[in-house]
Amino acid sequence: MYQKYVSVHGGHSGQFCLHAKNRLEDIIKRYIELEFTWVGITEHSPPVTDQLRYPDEAEAGISANFLFKQFENYMSECRRLQKKYASKIKIFTGIETETYSGYKNFIKDVVRRFRPDYIVGSVHHVDDMCMDFSRELYEKAAKAVGGYDAMYCRYFDEQYEMIKALDPAVIGHFDLVRLFDPDYKKRIRKKKIWQRILRNLELIKDRELIMDFNLRALYKGANEPYITEDILRKAKELEIAVVPGDDSHGIDQVGINMERGLKILHQHGFDAPWPTPRLYLWD
């Protein structure tokens, strides 16, 4: 079968994620309907503490303990669906990590306990402040650390430490920090920021990790996916694997903007067959 549609970072569902929608099985059926060859279902890891919940979880009064149990249910359900639909699609049962105080030991414990196929290493926080949930929180985080430039530096430093600590098979939305910054194309080229980007890319290259070409940016109205063109060009120069990820949060988002994303990747020399993530080898 020609390997065209894949998602290395996808499948958030309302069943297990408060800011997503629809049942996971229905989302899997949509991937099958669209003839995806394989998909990584990469639900968010539970938070370390109540203080590090997502804002919507805190507002709903959902505890970290409840979210841990919900995540346990996610792993069981995803494994069930993996077997049920094995003849129609290759499903990987994954985890999207968080990066904040206490995550290193916590995520390692979660991985040992639940034995995922692979993890996506993501950064959604800067100095324990969630910066991608809303423009208000983004601006608040930037102000707290001393401005946009400082936030970019903190973000890429935290990403670097996360990669070293967790060695994730996939790096999620590498430049998410640009989310609400209209001047991000100029900002990433500032010396102190670009040096950090190059350092992180070199580490990704050395460890032979995959970068998620995250199409959710297009769904949110951005002009290009994560990764932005300058970084994508450098990734190609370094021969880093870049693979599409729809980062879907509901049935209507499965595969959305995939053709547009594939066209960009093709223009920069990336194409199928898409490499699958390095999987954990469990006994």
Side-chain angles (χ1 to χ4, degrees):
M1 181 179 179
Y2 175 61
Q3 189 190 53
K4 182 179 181 181
Y5 288 173
V6 305
S7 180
V8 76
H9 181 186
H12 296 292
S13 70
Q15 193 173 354
F16 303 109
C17 175
L18 198 60
H19 59 271
K21 54 188 178 181
N22 306 125
R23 294 173 62 250
L24 181 55
E25 185 163 6
D26 292 332
I27 288 170
I28 294 294
K29 289 178 180 178
R30 181 59 176 160
Y31 279 114
I32 294 170
E33 182 181 348
L34 293 176
E35 299 183 342
F36 273 65
T37 307
W38 58 265
V39 60
I41 305 301
T42 52
E43 194 54 83
H44 293 281
S45 63
V48 177
T49 65
D50 282 353
Q51 289 69 34
L52 293 169
R53 293 170 294 175
Y54 277 104
D56 56 346
E57 295 165 347
E59 185 177 345
I62 300 173
S63 69
N65 184 57
F66 175 88
L67 291 167
F68 190 90
K69 293 177 181 177
Q70 180 174 264
F71 183 81
E72 185 174 18
N73 293 335
Y74 153 72
M75 290 297 298
S76 296
E77 175 66 356
C78 199
R79 288 298 189 195
R80 182 185 75 84
L81 297 173
Q82 190 177 42
K83 294 177 182 178
K84 180 176 180 179
Y85 293 104
S87 64
K88 298 181 178 180
I89 187 173
K90 178 68 175 178
I91 298 171
F92 297 109
T93 300
I95 299 173
E96 181 178 14
T97 72
E98 304 293 348
T99 305
Y100 40 43
S101 293
Y103 79 91
K104 294 178 182 178
N105 290 332
F106 181 75
I107 293 296
K108 289 175 183 178
D109 288 343
V110 167
V111 168
R112 282 192 292 265
R113 173 167 178 169
F114 294 110
R115 298 189 168 195
D117 293 323
Y118 69 91
I119 62 174
V120 175
S122 295
V123 180
H124 302 96
H125 300 72
V126 173
D127 287 7
D128 288 351
M129 294 175 286
C130 183
M131 56 82 188
D132 83 318
F133 198 80
S134 68
R135 180 180 293 275
E136 179 184 2
L137 290 177
Y138 184 87
E139 299 294 346
K140 182 178 180 181
K143 183 177 180 180
V145 300
Y148 281 13
D149 287 10
M151 182 165 69
Y152 274 62
C153 290
R154 298 283 185 93
Y155 174 90
F156 286 114
D157 284 347
E158 291 184 15
Q159 184 182 72
Y160 182 72
E161 290 302 319
M162 177 272 295
I163 295 170
K164 289 199 301 180
L166 300 182
D167 196 31
V170 178
I171 306 305
H173 39 61
F174 178 85
D175 52 348
L176 178 69
V177 69
R178 67 176 168 88
L179 175 60
F180 293 112
D181 179 11
D183 297 320
Y184 71 86
K185 282 187 172 291
K186 292 181 180 179
R187 197 175 313 281
I188 64 168
R189 280 295 185 174
K190 291 188 175 184
K191 184 176 181 180
K192 61 184 178 181
I193 295 172
W194 189 246
Q195 286 177 336
R196 285 170 164 84
I197 289 171
L198 294 181
R199 175 199 60 191
N200 291 13
L201 290 176
E202 291 286 355
L203 180 60
I204 291 167
K205 168 63 177 177
D206 289 345
R207 299 202 174 189
E208 299 183 345
L209 310 179
I210 288 174
M211 294 182 76
D212 158 42
F213 194 60
N214 193 290
L215 305 179
R216 187 162 174 79
L218 298 176
Y219 175 78
K220 290 187 172 184
N223 293 324
E224 58 181 342
Y226 310 112
I227 315 155
T228 185
E229 187 176 19
D230 281 359
I231 299 175
L232 184 63
R233 190 179 297 113
K234 188 64 181 179
K236 181 60 180 177
E237 180 183 321
L238 292 171
E239 298 183 339
I240 294 171
V242 178
V243 177
D246 62 2
D247 202 355
S248 62
H249 282 62
I251 293 171
D252 62 337
Q253 298 170 33
V254 170
I256 194 168
N257 292 307
M258 185 61 69
E259 286 294 336
R260 185 176 168 188
L262 291 175
K263 182 178 180 181
I264 297 170
L265 286 173
H266 180 71
Q267 289 170 345
H268 287 83
F270 298 95
D271 206 347
W274 304 109
T276 54
R278 181 188 68 233
L279 306 182
Y280 287 113
L281 299 177
W282 301 110
D283 295 333

